[in-house]
Amino acid sequence: MEETQQPTAAERVRTLVESNASAALTIPGTERDGVDNTAPSVPEARAVTPTGDVLLLVPTDSFAGRTAVHAHHDEVTAVMEITDVAPVSVPQRIRGRSWVAGWLTAVPASESGACRRLLARAHPAGPVPGPAWTLLRMEVGEAYVDDLWGQEHVEPDEFARADADPLSRHEAELLQHLAASHASQLRSLCSLLGEQSAECAKPRQIAPLSLDRYGLRLRCRTDNSCFDARFDFPEPVNDVGQLRRAMRWLFETAAETP
């Protein structure tokens, strides 16, 4: 059976959670002293444990940090929204959003060392945990993604089993490089669009929109329309070296297409 050429919804959520995309953490329905305290906290770093829990490093004085610590061992219901924005200039730059809901607790001292090491591996240049930072754990209850592939719900066990896309940490710089240095080759890919190629024959703009292990997506704008074009790799790639070979194959295939 051929491997699908599309990331699953669980893989897409997992990729966003482990990426550097902007995230906001809220605790719904919380009111203290008659004042709404649901202002979102912004996690400085995120990582996922082998069991599928999400580790969040938040400012100690943030509402989420204070609430989870003061709750002691009680679970606090929380929602994290992640917004994915294209790293290059394109029309409609928001590529998607993901929501992860679950139960928030402060990481106990007995587990702090292992969790901090996991976070440091995910974010080697991130802040060093200390008094100014609180490490929280979110047990995932449900997740949802609304992105370039569509809208789907994700169950906790699916999220735990999924892997983040291996190109995710390099995607921004790779797309920026393609936009800056390979504009003519990106334009040549229009020859692979079949019936759409006529519409894309004289585009005002072609920009790389997203990149994953299965392929490349471009955003094309003409005088009359704006549409996306997807180009699958001959096989999924697992690292930048394999990506270079897959991109070379795409460009060579386009050059050979009348």
Side-chain angles (χ1 to χ4, degrees):
M1 180 181 294
E2 293 185 1
E3 187 171 358
T4 178
Q5 290 293 298
Q6 175 175 330
T8 67
E11 289 171 339
R12 284 141 51 199
V13 174
R14 184 79 179 242
T15 297
L16 286 178
V17 168
E18 297 191 43
S19 73
N20 292 322
S22 174
L25 182 66
T26 58
I27 300 176
T30 304
E31 190 171 292
R32 182 179 300 164
D33 299 327
V35 178
D36 184 8
N37 289 288
T38 57
S41 303
V42 178
E44 186 68 21
R46 310 185 294 269
V48 180
T49 71
T51 58
D53 291 340
V54 181
L55 298 177
L56 303 166
L57 190 67
V58 301
T60 299
D61 61 358
S62 66
F63 180 64
R66 297 195 309 272
T67 300
V69 169
H70 291 158
H72 300 290
H73 299 295
D74 294 334
E75 294 174 332
V76 176
T77 301
V79 178
M80 179 170 62
E81 180 180 354
I82 303 171
T83 303
D84 181 30
V85 180
V88 297
S89 179
V90 293
Q92 304 168 2
R93 287 188 66 177
I94 294 180
R95 301 187 297 187
R97 288 186 171 88
S98 178
W99 292 264
V100 180
W103 301 276
L104 206 62
T105 56
V107 173
S110 59
E111 301 175 25
S112 177
C115 290
R116 289 172 188 268
R117 287 191 292 273
L118 179 60
L119 201 66
R121 287 197 296 272
H123 299 272
V128 177
W133 303 99
T134 295
L135 188 57
L136 306 178
R137 175 194 282 119
M138 175 186 279
E139 179 187 348
V140 176
E142 62 176 336
Y144 178 80
V145 63
D146 180 359
D147 62 6
L148 298 170
W149 295 102
Q151 304 175 17
E152 294 185 65
H153 286 275
V154 174
E155 296 298 325
D157 57 337
E158 296 174 319
F159 176 82
R161 291 194 304 266
D163 292 318
D165 190 273
L167 300 181
S168 175
R169 66 179 60 188
H170 308 291
E171 187 197 21
E173 61 184 289
L174 289 168
L175 291 180
Q176 290 164 359
H177 172 73
L178 285 171
S181 304
H182 295 277
S184 61
Q185 290 170 297
L186 293 178
R187 193 173 295 269
S188 74
L189 295 179
C190 288
S191 64
L192 302 176
L193 293 179
E195 293 181 358
Q196 261 188 319
S197 61
E199 184 179 6
C200 195
K202 295 181 179 180
R204 292 173 52 195
Q205 180 189 35
I206 293 181
L209 178 62
S210 67
L211 182 67
D212 56 64
R213 67 191 304 255
Y214 299 105
L216 169 70
R217 190 187 299 263
L218 304 182
R219 180 151 292 172
C220 308
R221 183 167 64 174
T222 68
D223 289 333
N224 302 316
S225 65
C226 181
F227 62 92
D228 292 351
R230 174 79 182 179
F231 301 92
D232 289 340
F233 298 143
E235 58 184 15
V237 302
N238 294 309
D239 54 43
V240 174
Q242 293 179 8
L243 172 66
R244 291 194 184 98
R245 292 192 288 273
M247 291 299 302
R248 189 179 305 118
W249 176 86
L250 271 181
F251 292 147
E252 290 176 351
T253 302
E256 296 169 357
T257 301

